[in-house]
Amino acid sequence: MTADALVRTGQPVLVETFAEWREAARELLVHGIPPDQVTWGAPHMGDLLAGGDLFTGAPAAAGAPHNPSIPPTEPLHPAPHIPRSLMEMLQSAACCRVPDRWAFLYRVIWRWQQGEHDVQSPADEDGARLHAMVKAVHREEHDMHAYIRFRERPEEAGPPRFVAWYEPRHDVLPQVAEHFISRMGKVSWMIATPEASVLWDGQTLHNTGPLVRDAADLEDTGEALWLTYYRSVFNPARLNTNVMHQHIQSDRWKNLPEAKIVPHMVSEAALGARKVGQYEAVGQRKGTTIPIAPEDAQPERQQPSKLDECRRCELWQFATQAVGGEGPRRAKIMFVGEQPGDQEDLAGQPFVGPAGKLLDRVCEAAGVDRDTIYVTNAVKHFKWEPRGKRRLHKTPVQREIEACHYWLDKELASVKPTVIVALGATALKSVLRTANVTLKNSLGKPLRHEGHWVVTTYHPSYVLRVPGEEAKREAFNTMVEGLKLAHELLERPVDVPDA
Amino acid sequence: MELKDKLEILADAAKYDASCASSGAPRRDSVDKDGLGATNGMGICHSYTPDGRCVSLLKILLTNFCVYDCQYCVNRRTSNVPRARFSVDEVVKLTRDFYLRNYIDGLFLSSGIIQSSDYTMEQLVEVARRLREEHQFRGYIHLKTIPDADPRLIELAGRYADRLSVNIELPTQDSVTKLAPEKNVHTIKLAMGSIRTKLDEKDDHPKAPTFAPAGQSTQMIVGADASDDQTILNTAQTLYGSYKLKRVYYSAFSPIPQSPSSVPSAPPPLLREHRLYQADFLLRGYGFTAKELMPQAGNLALDIDPKLGWALANRDHFPLDLNRADESMIARVPGIGLRTAKRLIDLRRLRRIRWEDLSRLRCSLKKLAPFVITADYRPAQGAASTDLLRRNLADAPQQMNLWPELQAA
Ligand code: SF4
């Protein structure tokens, strides 16, 4: 009889699985039958729970035990207008062992169908209960994933090689079995519970009916190692049993082998082992120091450069490393940028990030061989501020530029370039040693400064950043012109007095 | 020495490392495959010890022989502790045996420095290689990276491990120089930087070989030197931003047998560590900056959590109208978390938020009452002074919940 017909003749609708409920609920919804007119019940299950054969792994005989907690695998057809998120919640909640589960689920779906969509929100009364049921089921799945303990059976005994006993609070065995199938691969195992059991023979899952606890009581010598581990990772100096109990509810402990040794560990810790973190058994062993001289213990590392040890300003603290200049010792042109960026900070080389790539293109367009150029920055450590989990470039202030000028001076003195190309305002301020210059007024106008030509152009990041294709192209061209100019200046004498 | 004895010593020696997460690995399974293991990205805690910490991985040292002399470390060369060394095979076998019994989700392997950084790192990598290649182990592997090791070894480690970590150990360079003479912040940062570079490469070229898919993490010891929480959080923020760390773990210094006089003989309050975890979570999850949480030098308050501390120091943002404010501001209200903020936004699309909704969403009503406005509620005008509020809202003295933060990612 259909669910609709049952209700009309005043009989309860008997369902056992979510799939059956779903069929019935759809039927009832289609006929517009409100929740208060339906009585839901479960078929009498007593006869269905005949036990399977525990260890032979024989599949349950044909037509025999249907396991109530394992829904048939046939595909489920979606009920009308129910969003998937709600359907998933209903399916989970259906595993929750409360007597009125089917009636409650029907009420939820009925209300949704009536347009009361806040029934899915935990701020609604039914919604809150639904969320609570889902949460209880998920928690049970989680606990079972976490606290099942397999014991190993001897190789000769055949499959299953590993056996576990568990007492789930909700009907989650099918989902949990999937978890262990994916975890154990072709190793055979069995999980026994008071209501139902499953056996995985390495290829197929069999339902083997309910079992009693003793069936899973095996000797496993591997357990002793686990207890040793459990004892030794515990730090008695931090004894905090409340937290331990908060995480594992009390009725879960009884099937955990480590539960037996907890009281002893706690009292031992309280009795004195508490002062130091070491586990007593380790503390009692004979110890040894390692006879090796401090000099010999020092790892061999490349000496950090003097630049790396610079503490002239605060920037070093937040950076990975100082990034010095790079290029031919006697280069005729020196590029001075602002400061290393995120990538340069990691790589320890100037202009390796996106700005560096752009600089390459500019050089190419200007017909200048980049390998003949010495490239450096006004400030040698990356200055940044946090933006979410990223580092956002931050412009150095005059104080930092001045502090770091010490290093630029050294580079200028040793490379002695004829032309300095200042890339952007920071570089310009650094090269001319004054805060009173603007990029705009200096663009394209070469100056003489302390025996060098100084050409000012944009910083490649500006080209990358400026919005609009037109503006980008213009900025790019300005840089190319700047470089060409620098190249021409190589031929002109600089030892005339500064302008 | 028997396996059990070694396990006793080398697990005991590894427990000072606070990291325990087994999350963030890509999904893997062993359905129809030889070998063993699965990860679903979430990680599972398989037990808890009486110190409240979870057991999720087999956390051991390969050996606790060590030529370094880090003053806070129980395995320093001058420490008089029993020493042991696992063979590569022993670690592999232990990992598999524990995994099959569902005790653990995988392996966390660290080591004292023996012979040289490269030699030590090679050994760690060999364990991971054998698990992955010879035993097709698909569980979680976390390798501790030796900072001075050859970057090629670090690259290899990242091939096999889900997570790599390099411990920064202490928040300032000076403290490292003083307490860990053989270590060096510079090389530690460089190692983290080279891991990040590899992670970036993998992000940019999805076809590149896998590299530490669960990212990198680090640990800072709290209370072994005089650094305050402001310094610690600034360092954490620098590390998060620079090296894309998944987590910074804070480990309150644990007194060790025969502590050298260079480190304190008593541990810092565990509550301090707890507050640091809370503040750290605000950095990672809520978009707070270290400066907002700790505008001044000093330590985080112990009587109130850092979010409440921030709200009390910034009362001009409150009371906040929950029917208007944007999600990120709602999440900054004490007593309302990220998830609730999202749920409120969802609910707001259907109707206006009322006081009762907050109670159904299980918010801490007492905590949020002075800070919010709903359709039917607004806090009394000229509400209580900040001092009074603070006294009312301070945490009742209780055993605190120390470790739940460690489970998340
Ligand atoms: S930015 Fe320059 S001055 Fe400041 S610490 Fe770094 S190298 Fe020294």
Side-chain angles (χ1 to χ4, degrees):
Chain A
M1 229 190 299
T2 63
D4 168 49
L6 285 171
V7 172
R8 284 179 202 288
T9 56
Q11 294 178 55
V13 181
L14 302 182
V15 295
E16 214 179 317
T17 65
F18 182 69
E20 288 169 12
W21 171 84
R22 194 167 164 160
E23 279 307 307
R26 191 210 321 264
E27 169 91 26
L28 296 171
L29 279 182
V30 167
H31 289 89
I33 298 180
D36 54 8
Q37 291 180 22
V38 193
T39 327
W40 297 85
H44 183 59
M45 299 193 305
D47 305 336
L48 296 174
L49 294 179
D53 193 357
L54 176 49
F55 288 144
T56 58
H66 168 68
N67 187 320
S69 66
I70 299 179
T73 48
E74 59 190 73
L76 304 169
H77 306 287
H81 310 309
I82 303 301
R84 201 216 287 227
S85 62
L86 180 58
M87 216 26 147
E88 279 169 1
M89 288 187 78
L90 294 173
Q91 184 161 11
S92 287
C95 302
C96 187
R97 284 184 197 152
V98 289
D100 64 339
R101 60 179 121 169
W102 306 124
F104 173 72
L105 296 187
Y106 186 60
R107 189 165 79 216
V108 170
I109 207 168
W110 170 266
R111 282 188 55 199
W112 176 277
Q113 199 76 338
Q114 301 292 310
E116 295 179 40
H117 290 182
D118 54 345
V119 70
Q120 202 185 345
S121 163
D124 177 88
E125 209 168 307
D126 285 330
R129 186 173 181 215
L130 181 65
H131 277 262
M133 284 166 74
V134 169
K135 199 167 159 200
V137 168
H138 286 170
R139 164 131 211 196
E140 193 56 26
E141 282 171 30
H142 164 272
D143 280 5
M144 213 162 155
H145 291 167
Y147 307 133
I148 272 189
R149 296 287 186 256
F150 284 108
R151 291 184 168 151
E152 188 176 26
R153 300 204 316 141
E155 185 104 52
E156 327 66 89
R161 294 272 290 125
F162 292 87
V163 177
W165 167 259
Y166 203 80
E167 292 162 28
R169 292 191 196 93
H170 301 293
D171 299 332
V172 296
L173 186 58
Q175 300 90 293
V176 170
E178 290 299 322
H179 169 81
F180 283 99
I181 290 172
S182 76
R183 188 178 156 98
M184 304 280 268
K186 294 178 180 165
V187 177
S188 63
W189 50 266
M190 171 175 212
I191 298 172
T193 82
E195 298 82 21
S197 307
V198 286
L199 180 142
W200 173 254
D201 62 16
Q203 266 149 14
T204 321
L205 191 69
H206 308 277
N207 299 320
T208 50
L211 276 180
V212 288
R213 196 196 187 309
D214 298 355
D217 264 346
L218 308 168
E219 274 298 313
D220 179 356
T221 46
E223 211 160 273
L225 276 178
W226 165 242
L227 295 183
T228 300
Y229 177 65
Y230 182 81
R231 256 193 297 261
S232 314
V233 285
F234 161 55
N235 185 339
R238 309 181 59 123
L239 187 65
N240 192 347
T241 48
N242 276 5
V243 179
M244 170 181 65
H245 288 301
Q246 247 165 45
H247 283 290
I248 311 184
Q249 291 168 20
S250 49
D251 55 331
R252 288 290 161 250
W253 279 106
K254 67 173 186 272
N255 291 323
L256 294 179
E258 58 268 30
K260 292 190 289 287
I261 59 172
V262 166
H264 181 68
M265 289 165 68
V266 171
S267 65
E268 214 177 44
L271 271 179
R274 211 172 166 169
K275 281 204 293 299
V276 292
Q278 211 164 53
Y279 173 56
E280 215 189 6
V282 173
Q284 281 162 359
R285 286 167 182 271
K286 211 162 75 46
T288 40
T289 59
I290 313 285
I292 177 164
E295 313 80 79
D296 299 333
Q298 276 292 344
E300 263 181 53
R301 18 181 113 91
Q302 266 184 334
Q303 281 309 310
S305 68
K306 281 274 179 315
L307 174 61
D308 245 334
E309 285 162 4
C310 177
R311 302 290 180 265
R312 298 172 69 89
C313 76
E314 291 291 288
L315 293 185
W316 66 273
Q317 276 189 48
F318 310 100
T320 302
Q321 54 193 320
V323 180
E326 236 180 39
R329 275 269 148 263
R330 292 277 177 259
K332 292 223 154 47
I333 301 182
M334 180 188 279
F335 285 174
V336 180
E338 180 181 90
Q339 59 158 346
D342 182 65
Q343 308 269 324
E344 288 78 13
D345 169 81
L346 297 179
Q349 291 174 290
F351 287 102
V352 290
K357 304 253 150 54
L358 190 109
L359 200 54
D360 289 343
R361 281 172 42 217
V362 174
C363 288
E364 205 182 322
V368 177
D369 182 359
R370 185 176 152 172
D371 292 341
T372 63
I373 299 173
Y374 187 93
V375 186
T376 190
N377 283 300
V379 170
K380 313 298 186 202
H381 277 112
F382 180 29
K383 181 175 182 182
W384 56 280
E385 61 187 350
R387 181 64 46 87
K389 283 177 191 158
R390 305 202 170 278
R391 302 193 280 188
L392 214 69
H393 156 275
K394 203 172 170 190
T395 308
V397 296
Q398 191 61 23
R399 176 171 37 83
E400 288 148 354
I401 298 174
E402 268 160 33
C404 215
H405 197 274
Y406 173 84
W407 297 107
L408 185 62
D409 255 354
K410 283 191 171 244
E411 286 173 305
L412 285 170
S414 96
V415 179
K416 301 194 180 71
T418 312
V419 184
I420 302 172
V421 180
L423 304 168
T426 302
L428 184 63
K429 288 177 192 167
S430 172
V431 170
L432 300 185
R433 306 209 65 169
T434 168
N436 299 323
V437 279
T438 60
L439 184 69
K440 215 163 121 222
N441 294 336
S442 319
L443 273 181
K445 296 180 202 151
L447 348 137
R448 287 185 303 273
H449 180 77
E450 295 180 354
H452 311 278
W453 283 108
V454 179
V455 173
T456 308
T457 189
Y458 293 121
H459 192 278
S461 310
Y462 171 76
V463 182
L464 294 171
R465 226 181 31 230
V466 63
E469 279 313 306
E470 186 55 31
K472 258 194 210 340
R473 207 167 19 246
E474 243 173 63
F476 185 87
N477 291 336
T478 307
M479 286 194 73
V480 173
E481 290 311 314
L483 247 63
K484 284 186 178 159
L485 178 60
H487 202 67
E488 286 164 22
L489 287 171
L490 290 181
E491 309 304 328
R492 274 199 242 166
V494 263
D495 40 7
V496 286
D498 290 0
Chain B
M1 198 184 267
E2 276 188 45
L3 188 62
K4 181 174 166 301
D5 297 323
K6 293 186 186 178
L7 183 59
E8 202 162 67
I9 292 169
L10 294 169
D12 189 278
K15 70 190 172 199
Y16 302 94
D17 211 303
S19 123
C20 70
S22 52
S23 55
R27 280 176 180 279
R28 292 189 291 255
D29 70 55
S30 297
V31 178
D32 284 334
K33 295 180 195 134
D34 291 326
L36 194 63
T39 51
N40 62 3
M42 308 273 286
I44 300 176
C45 301
H46 288 269
S47 194
Y48 286 83
T49 55
D51 51 17
R53 297 166 93 158
C54 95
V55 182
S56 147
L57 301 171
L58 170 62
K59 194 195 292 186
I60 46 175
L61 298 191
L62 190 60
T63 176
N64 68 340
F65 285 92
C66 188
V67 299
Y68 286 10
D69 205 31
C70 307
Q71 302 294 286
Y72 46 78
C73 177
V74 67
N75 304 313
R76 67 187 188 281
R77 64 169 181 265
T78 53
S79 168
N80 179 19
V81 287
R83 310 267 176 184
R85 176 174 179 178
F86 278 129
S87 71
V88 169
D89 280 332
E90 282 170 331
V91 177
V92 169
K93 183 171 163 23
L94 265 177
T95 307
R96 295 187 69 244
D97 284 355
F98 277 16
Y99 195 87
L100 281 163
R101 289 168 176 77
N102 203 38
Y103 299 153
I104 53 166
D105 257 20
L107 173 68
F108 169 104
L109 189 62
S110 177
S111 181
I113 312 286
I114 37 172
Q115 295 187 28
S116 69
S117 306
D118 280 355
Y119 175 79
T120 310
M121 193 69 211
E122 267 164 26
Q123 298 290 303
L124 296 176
V125 171
E126 178 59 11
V127 172
R129 188 198 66 78
R130 229 177 270 184
L131 272 168
R132 291 282 196 240
E133 286 183 352
E134 288 176 15
H135 296 273
Q136 304 199 33
F137 176 71
R138 297 179 195 87
Y140 195 87
I141 299 182
H142 177 158
L143 291 184
K144 180 114 285 168
T145 308
I146 314 294
D148 281 299
D150 189 326
R152 269 172 312 188
L153 286 170
I154 297 181
E155 188 176 342
L156 205 53
R159 183 96 49 85
Y160 301 118
D162 290 296
R163 175 170 285 187
L164 296 178
S165 56
V166 188
N167 282 356
I168 185 85
E169 312 291 9
L170 296 162
T172 70
Q173 181 135 320
D174 285 350
S175 295
V176 172
T177 312
K178 211 158 79 209
L179 296 182
E182 286 86 11
K183 288 191 180 153
N184 176 305
V185 171
H186 191 60
T187 52
I188 292 170
K189 281 184 167 182
L190 286 176
M192 287 180 176
S194 73
I195 293 175
R196 192 199 124 183
T197 307
K198 282 277 152 213
L199 291 169
D200 284 351
E201 269 173 30
K202 174 69 189 163
D203 281 349
D204 294 345
H205 307 282
K207 294 226 176 74
T210 51
F211 185 85
Q216 63 168 328
S217 61
T218 192
Q219 167 167 300
M220 230 186 295
I221 299 165
V222 177
D225 66 341
S227 304
D228 64 6
D229 291 352
Q230 190 197 40
T231 311
I232 291 173
L233 286 178
N234 274 328
T235 300
Q237 182 171 272
T238 297
L239 297 176
Y240 279 127
S242 305
Y243 310 112
K244 296 200 182 145
L245 296 191
K246 279 279 160 35
R247 290 296 309 270
V248 173
Y249 290 92
Y250 304 89
S251 174
F253 172 69
S254 243
I256 46 182
Q258 290 114 41
S259 274
S261 56
S262 49
V263 293
S265 56
L270 289 189
L271 192 51
R272 181 174 169 207
E273 181 190 87
H274 180 57
R275 294 294 184 222
L276 280 168
Y277 273 112
Q278 289 179 317
D280 183 89
F281 190 57
L282 296 177
L283 293 184
R284 280 181 297 130
Y286 288 76
F288 280 92
T289 60
K291 203 166 174 184
E292 283 179 289
L293 296 173
M294 282 306 287
Q296 274 127 33
N299 288 346
L300 291 160
L302 292 182
D303 61 333
I304 51 172
D305 68 73
K307 195 162 135 191
L308 179 56
W310 176 81
L312 288 174
N314 293 274
R315 287 191 65 192
D316 47 320
H317 292 294
F318 303 105
L320 189 73
D321 186 342
L322 295 182
N323 281 301
R324 284 161 198 255
D326 64 1
E327 192 176 326
S328 63
M329 258 322 274
I330 295 180
R332 286 187 169 209
V333 175
I336 295 186
L338 287 174
R339 187 143 59 127
T340 309
K342 177 156 191 324
R343 285 179 164 171
L344 287 172
I345 296 283
D346 287 346
L347 187 62
R348 217 159 73 174
R349 297 206 180 95
L350 302 171
R351 58 176 171 75
R352 289 173 57 73
I353 291 165
R354 309 182 63 79
W355 178 255
E356 202 191 3
D357 295 323
L358 299 174
S359 102
R360 289 232 188 84
L361 290 172
R362 311 243 209 116
C363 298
S364 158
L365 298 182
K366 185 180 162 205
K367 222 176 214 181
L368 59 77
F371 299 105
V372 300
I373 294 172
T374 64
D376 57 344
Y377 166 85
R378 80 174 28 243
Q381 268 306 320
S385 77
T386 298
D387 275 354
L388 188 69
L389 269 185
R390 182 182 181 129
R391 248 173 290 139
N392 280 340
L393 298 176
D395 292 355
Q398 53 169 330
Q399 264 280 43
M400 61 285 173
N401 192 350
L402 268 181
W403 296 101
E405 300 83 358
L406 292 188
Q407 307 339 319

